[in-house]
Amino acid sequence: MSYTERLPRKRTYLMCPPEHFAVEYAINPWMDPAAPVDVGLALRQWHLLHATLTDLGHAVHLLRPRPGLPDMVYAANGAFSVDGTVYGARFKHPQRAAEAAAHRFFYAGQPWTFAHPQHVNEGEGDFAYLPCAYGGLILAGHGFRTEPAAHAEAQEVLGRPVLSLRLVDPVFYHLDTALAALDDRSIAYYPGAFSASSQRILGQLFPDAVIADRADAEAFGLNLVSDGRHVLLNAEAVGMADKVRAVGYVPVPIHLSELKRGGGSVKCAVAELRS
Ligand code: ARG
């Protein structure tokens, strides 16, 4: 096997405990309000994810959960930060709209510069950043949640080129369900979640990408958090764990059965704060 040693980089993250987690409405195909959610189990699983990140040496800030916002645990959707600037979220669905203000409130006490969005965008759910690819490249999804106008807005606010990618399968409604940054320059993705043109562009710009199949993506294997070496991903995504291991990363399986009921997994629950 030939690959350079994968080196981790210390990260700063933001998470929100699922104290008020529930599936009370259905805004993606994974959500079934008729199926019961075990909040106690969701909390225990979330705490294990949190402990895994801190044990790996990363800093994790906490967002205070608010009653009436059952999706707040998916902290990745609240903003997207690059180089110390935070581009705020503006949620598509009214059920989640108030989460944006909770995130804004968090950043008010932090050293990041906050930029208010004009356009609908769901933060890191639809934006990924690769600091060492092409001098610093933002990948952005549209089709279900984030509007293309927000891609242009993010480019203006963050001063980095934004590559717009069109998502075509409602099962993979956020970019982070179909594509992940494995380190500062490498990605993994499931081509079938993207339009033919977007697939072609990804193939052109990332010829060495790890290619996931539908089963990997359906197991939330792409909804991963990587520090450049350790790849935290849903425990059900065994095929994806093998694929990242084969190219030198260390997969760390995380059990998140309850968060999956809301249509998310590891990445959805973790926002990265980039200085
Ligand atoms: N129930 C949430 C929604 O549909 C799940 C969000 C998952 N988050 C993510 N980053 N993909 O909005």
Side-chain angles (χ1 to χ4, degrees), residues 87-90 115-121 147 149-150 153-154 157:
Y87 175 51
R90 188 166 175 154
H116 289 269
Q118 300 295 316
H119 298 285
V120 169
N121 83 85
E147 291 172 357
E153 186 175 44
V157 166

Side-chain angles (χ1 to χ4, degrees), residues 143-154:
F144 297 101
R145 299 289 180 89
T146 297
E147 291 172 357
H151 295 184
E153 186 175 44

Side-chain angles (χ1 to χ4, degrees), residues 112-175:
W112 287 270
T113 306
F114 190 89
H116 289 269
Q118 300 295 316
H119 298 285
V120 169
N121 83 85
E122 298 197 348
E124 279 198 335
D126 275 322
F127 289 106
Y129 185 52
L130 295 157
C132 295
Y134 304 98
L137 180 66
I138 294 169
L139 302 182
H142 69 94
F144 297 101
R145 299 289 180 89
T146 297
E147 291 172 357
H151 295 184
E153 186 175 44
Q155 178 165 287
E156 283 303 309
V157 166
L158 300 170
R160 296 283 179 182
V162 174
L163 178 69
S164 281
L165 301 165
R166 188 158 74 88
L167 296 161
V168 294
D169 184 335
V171 170
F172 310 111
Y173 59 95
H174 272 145
L175 183 72

Side-chain angles (χ1 to χ4, degrees), residues 72-273:
M72 254 189 102
V73 63
Y74 304 109
N77 298 134
F80 173 57
S81 66
V82 171
D83 298 337
T85 298
V86 177
Y87 175 51
R90 188 166 175 154
F91 287 83
K92 171 168 178 169
H93 297 287
Q95 295 95 329
R96 298 195 66 186
E99 293 180 42
H103 281 262
R104 194 167 65 233
F105 185 76
F106 166 80
Y107 286 106
Q110 298 291 331
W112 287 270
T113 306
F114 190 89
H116 289 269
Q118 300 295 316
H119 298 285
V120 169
N121 83 85
E122 298 197 348
E124 279 198 335
D126 275 322
F127 289 106
Y129 185 52
L130 295 157
C132 295
Y134 304 98
L137 180 66
I138 294 169
L139 302 182
H142 69 94
F144 297 101
R145 299 289 180 89
T146 297
E147 291 172 357
H151 295 184
E153 186 175 44
Q155 178 165 287
E156 283 303 309
V157 166
L158 300 170
R160 296 283 179 182
V162 174
L163 178 69
S164 281
L165 301 165
R166 188 158 74 88
L167 296 161
V168 294
D169 184 335
V171 170
F172 310 111
Y173 59 95
H174 272 145
L175 183 72
D176 71 3
T177 63
L179 181 148
L182 290 171
D183 56 31
D184 289 345
R185 66 189 81 234
S186 316
I187 62 167
Y189 67 101
Y190 166 50
F194 296 92
S195 70
S197 291
S198 294
Q199 289 183 34
R200 192 158 159 254
I201 292 162
L202 284 169
Q204 180 185 333
L205 296 185
F206 297 97
D208 300 327
V210 175
I211 300 296
D213 61 24
R214 189 171 185 92
D216 297 326
E218 283 182 342
F220 278 98
L222 290 162
N223 197 249
L224 60 82
V225 169
S226 173
D227 63 9
R229 176 174 178 80
H230 310 97
V231 175
L232 282 63
L233 81 180
N234 192 25
E236 290 166 50
V238 283
M240 198 62 211
D242 288 343
K243 285 176 187 170
V244 299
R245 188 185 295 110
V247 289
Y249 299 95
V250 180
V252 181
I254 306 284
H255 289 275
L256 283 179
S257 61
E258 295 313 288
L259 292 198
K260 197 179 168 191
R261 297 175 189 277
S265 191
V266 180
K267 173 63 207 141
C268 301
V270 180
E272 184 168 350
L273 311 184

